[in-house]
Structure formats: structure tokens, C-alpha cells
Amino acid sequence: MDYNQLFNDIFFLILDDEVNENDYLIWKKFSFIHNPIQQLIKAQDLLNQLLHEFPKDKKALFLKGVVQRNLNFNEESILYLLEAKKEDYYLFAANFYIAEYYIHKLKFEEALKYLKEIEIIFPTNKRFLFLSVLVHIELFNFDEAKRYLNILYQLVEDKQVLELLSKNILITEEIVLKTTNRLVLKNFKLRSFNYNLQLKTNLISFYKTFIDVGINFNGITCFIHALTLKQITLYPNYENIEKYNVHTVLDFIDVDKKNVQINLEGIDFERDFVKNYHEYLEVEVLLKED
């Protein structure tokens, strides 16, 4: 078996074709498209051959984890990613995927541990900063969330997603600071977790919509974007009782053959955001009545 040839065949099956392949370093700069399913399955078969011959190969383990995740086999994916990390502590590309997996599992402290390892080497990496803001919001570490967001503001030209994150910080912080009753606050956090679980459940049907037409997307990436949109809530109205809460969040996520992204153009920043805890409770009442 020609290891280099086989590895390259696998790698370029899942490599983003917009990346300059000559500049690629697997542990530093990486970007993968959300491939058609047959392409991923072909890469999976080749990886199985490679891992049969070289079961501890860190690059093959890493790519197997990436392929499995893009096929939405997330529980299997994390095993390969953790094994790759065990073989090479400095394989920081794996840290991103591991951290995102733990965010998807709502294990934010665990996600933070892997993000902190990245910070030592790549403190201004945009993906690291974005995930760090998201995790610290969920942990109510608002000063840290603002610190990472401020760094991102210096690095990113398009500020729209950062504006979403900023609004989420302000709204969540106000709720936490103004809620003196710890039980109420705990209830708010539990509701937040339940919301996330509901979102993951709804993503299954969202995923099936695209699988039927042969397009695959990364469900964890979709969930990460949905967390960014979490405070968006359209109130039910006379014409469309179902366009609110989780359903609304999914309406703001676009999926095509190339990527998963947030649809920012349809967001009404004045109307679509929950402004305070009282308003949040009103939405919960409407949901119960429905």
C-alpha cells in the first residue's frame, strides 16, 4: 500500500476546493465542505483501508473523525477524534471538532477545556474566538464572553454575526443580573438547556429534508449556528401560529451543497429578539397554550 497516495486520495475527497492545497497543514489550517454523501462514503471506505494497515495513524484517525461527523455519526466521530488527540496532543485541529461535539452535548465546561488548549497556540483564531464567546455565554461568564468578542471585532470585517452574539450577551446578562431569585434563574438555565435539546430533536427532521435530495450537512455546525440565534423569537400571530421559537431558528439557517450558514437578511433586530426575562416568560406561556 502506498500510504501517501492513499492518504492524499482521501484528503482531497473532503478538502474544500477553495483552499490552496499547496499551503495546507493538517494541524493548522483546515476547511472542509459539507460533501455529497457518496463522496463521504468513498472517503470512509478508503480510510478504513488505511486504518486497517496503520491503526494508530493520527492523520487517518483525524480524517475518519471528520468524515463520520459530516455523515452525522457523531458518537463514532468523537471516538476517532479523541484517539487522534491521544496520539498527538498538538493536533489542535481535532480540538475544534471535539469542543463543538461537547457544545452539541451541552457539556460546556468540557468544551472549554479543549478551547483553552487552542488558545495557547492560536489565540486569535476566529473559529476559536467564536466558539469561546458561545461557550462563555452558556456558562454565564459574561466578562470573558465580551473579551473574546472584542478580539473578534478587531479581526472580522462583516460584523453581523458578531452583532447577534453581542445581543445575546446583553440579553442573557440582563436576565441573570436582574433575577435575584436563584431558583428562577436556575429555571431559566434549565429552560435554556431544554430549548437546546428541543432544537437538536427538530434538527433530525431538518436533516432528513436534505438527505432525501442527496445533500449532506454537518448537524453539529447547524446546531452551533442555532445557538448563536437562540434569543430570536417571532411571536405567534393570526396568519402563522407556528413561526416562532425553534422553528424560527431553523428558518434562519441555510443549507446547500457547499455549506451551512446563518441567513442574516431576514432578521428584524427590533422585533425578533427576546428583550428580557419577562418577555421570555410570555413566550413560554404562548408555547404552553399552543
Side-chain angles (χ1 to χ4, degrees):
M1 177 187 291
D2 185 336
Y3 169 83
N4 288 328
Q5 181 62 52
L6 183 55
F7 180 80
N8 285 331
D9 288 346
I10 298 163
F11 182 74
F12 291 113
L13 271 174
I14 62 173
L15 183 65
D16 187 331
D17 56 12
E18 295 177 2
V19 173
N20 183 347
E21 46 194 58
N22 295 320
D23 293 340
Y24 193 92
L25 293 174
I26 195 169
W27 50 89
K28 276 191 174 182
K29 182 179 180 183
F30 58 98
S31 177
F32 295 101
I33 65 173
H34 303 283
N35 308 74
I37 294 166
Q38 291 306 315
Q39 192 166 315
L40 288 166
I41 291 173
K42 184 177 178 181
Q44 183 186 52
D45 292 340
L46 292 174
L47 278 165
N48 289 340
Q49 293 178 40
L50 191 61
L51 286 168
H52 179 74
E53 188 79 15
F54 305 99
K56 295 293 184 181
D57 185 272
K58 62 186 181 184
K59 292 186 288 186
L61 289 165
F62 169 69
L63 288 186
K64 183 64 183 284
V66 172
V67 168
Q68 295 306 94
R69 171 168 151 170
N70 277 277
L71 287 169
N72 285 297
F73 298 134
N74 296 318
E75 302 308 317
E76 185 176 344
S77 168
I78 192 65
L79 297 178
Y80 285 102
L81 292 168
L82 290 171
E83 188 65 24
K85 181 70 177 174
K86 188 167 70 176
E87 292 299 318
D88 183 359
Y89 173 83
Y90 297 99
L91 189 64
F92 290 111
N95 282 53
F96 286 98
Y97 290 98
I98 295 169
E100 288 172 353
Y101 168 83
Y102 283 123
I103 291 171
H104 184 253
K105 299 295 286 187
L106 308 179
K107 296 181 178 180
F108 301 109
E109 293 283 2
E110 197 70 19
L112 191 59
K113 183 178 78 173
Y114 285 94
L115 290 173
K116 286 292 186 183
E117 289 181 4
I118 299 171
E119 186 171 21
I120 297 169
I121 308 298
F122 305 116
T124 58
N125 178 280
K126 295 174 188 175
R127 185 170 173 181
F128 153 73
L129 291 166
F130 172 77
L131 293 173
S132 295
V133 174
L134 208 58
V135 166
H136 282 294
I137 292 174
E138 295 294 333
L139 292 172
F140 296 168
N141 298 333
F142 301 115
D143 288 342
E144 285 294 281
K146 292 173 188 175
R147 181 171 72 84
Y148 289 116
L149 186 60
N150 286 336
I151 300 171
L152 258 181
Y153 265 111
Q154 309 305 314
L155 302 172
V156 177
E157 290 187 14
D158 187 348
K159 313 293 187 187
Q160 285 183 295
V161 173
L162 303 189
E163 188 174 350
L164 281 171
L165 286 169
S166 179
K167 286 181 179 291
N168 270 330
I169 292 172
L170 293 175
I171 292 164
T172 310
E173 184 177 29
E174 182 184 11
I175 290 169
V176 171
L177 291 177
K178 289 188 175 180
T179 306
T180 55
N181 187 322
R182 296 293 98 183
L183 288 176
V184 172
L185 188 57
K186 182 180 179 182
N187 187 47
F188 168 75
K189 192 163 188 177
L190 287 173
R191 285 179 183 275
S192 176
F193 278 13
N194 289 335
Y195 178 101
N196 296 344
L197 290 168
Q198 182 188 356
L199 177 58
K200 285 195 286 189
T201 301
N202 285 21
L203 279 173
I204 295 172
S205 59
F206 197 62
Y207 167 74
K208 287 178 179 177
T209 302
F210 292 91
I211 207 86
D212 289 342
V213 293
I215 298 172
N216 194 58
F217 69 92
N218 188 308
I220 290 181
T221 300
C222 202
F223 181 73
I224 295 292
H225 287 334
L227 281 186
T228 309
L229 297 166
K230 194 169 66 171
Q231 298 289 3
I232 291 180
T233 306
L234 287 176
Y235 286 93
N237 56 51
Y238 172 73
E239 297 178 64
N240 194 344
I241 193 87
E242 293 184 351
K243 277 187 69 71
Y244 61 93
N245 200 277
V246 171
H247 300 289
T248 302
V249 170
L250 295 181
D251 289 340
F252 285 111
I253 299 173
D254 286 339
V255 178
D256 60 29
K257 290 185 178 180
K258 288 293 287 182
N259 57 28
V260 178
Q261 61 186 6
I262 300 175
N263 175 18
L264 296 166
E265 294 179 0
I267 299 173
D268 180 346
F269 284 96
E270 291 303 313
R271 179 170 179 265
D272 294 348
F273 271 82
V274 172
K275 303 298 190 303
N276 52 53
Y277 188 67
H278 177 70
E279 188 173 283
Y280 176 86
L281 289 178
E282 287 181 352
V283 176
E284 291 294 333
V285 170
L286 288 168
L287 290 174
K288 286 178 182 178
E289 290 176 353
D290 182 52

